[in-house]
Amino acid sequence: MNKEQKKIVKKVNEAFSKLSVLNNLTWTQYREQLFKLNKEHEKRHRAGDWYQYHSDYASISDCAKLFVVKDIAQSLLNPNKWQVKDLIRIKDTCLLSQSLVNNYRDMIATSLHDEDINELSKLDYIALVDWDHYQENLKKYNAA
């Protein structure tokens, strides 16, 4: 893992830690539930033919935390992005994240008050798992 990827992991871990507030809302520990579901998604993803895109191989836990943080941040920016009809084409964690934000927005926003929500919403999974592939994609995108 390179220096840039380590910065991403550090940022994700800091925001993830602040989201511990989600564990104290009801009897359900929502942050842990989101983390567990995202870990399961990542394990299934890596069991497929996607190994070639994981050359730097960030941990499954790091990737799961990235998705928890990113989905919450995206929901803070766009609380009505997903509808029930979208559940068949998105991960269930996206809808759960949006529901948490719709129900506990103030508490979540307060817990992340010193984070750049725009930056968290744009976290890139590929940057974490395969830095070279991410850089190639950036070059193609910027050239277009």
Side-chain angles (χ1 to χ4, degrees), residues 39-54 57 60 125:
K39 273 181 74 171
E40 291 171 7
H41 291 306
E42 185 63 13
K43 284 178 186 176
R44 283 195 307 271
H45 169 71
R46 290 187 187 199
D49 293 333
W50 299 99
Y51 183 80
Q52 63 182 330
Y53 298 107
H54 297 86
Y57 221 72
I60 288 172
Y125 170 79

Side-chain angles (χ1 to χ4, degrees), residues 72-104:
I72 292 290
Q74 287 180 340
S75 295
L76 284 167
L77 294 173
N78 187 355
N80 298 309
K81 181 176 183 175
W82 308 114
Q83 298 176 9
V84 173
K85 70 179 184 173
D86 296 315
L87 191 56
I88 62 173
R89 63 180 183 85
I90 63 169
K91 294 186 308 182
D92 51 351
T93 53
C94 295
L95 205 52
L96 178 55
S97 296
Q98 183 173 304
S99 178
L100 287 165
V101 168
N102 285 333
N103 283 286
Y104 303 104

Side-chain angles (χ1 to χ4, degrees), residues 105-137:
R105 178 181 200 74
D106 292 341
M107 192 177 298
I108 294 168
T110 299
S111 73
L112 295 173
H113 75 279
D114 58 347
E115 296 289 336
D116 182 341
I117 302 303
N118 284 317
E119 183 180 357
L120 295 177
S121 74
K122 294 175 184 171
L123 289 169
D124 195 311
Y125 170 79
I126 299 300
L128 191 57
V129 298
D130 189 336
W131 187 257
D132 293 336
H133 187 66
Y134 173 69
Q135 292 300 311
E136 289 172 21
N137 286 342

Side-chain angles (χ1 to χ4, degrees), residues 15-26:
F16 184 80
S17 179
K18 293 172 184 174
L19 288 174
S20 65
V21 67
L22 297 174
N23 286 338
N24 300 315
L25 301 172
T26 68

Side-chain angles (χ1 to χ4, degrees), residues 52-68:
Q52 63 182 330
Y53 298 107
H54 297 86
S55 63
D56 292 330
Y57 221 72
S59 75
I60 288 172
S61 292
D62 287 340
C63 293
K65 288 177 185 179
L66 177 139
F67 283 117
V68 170

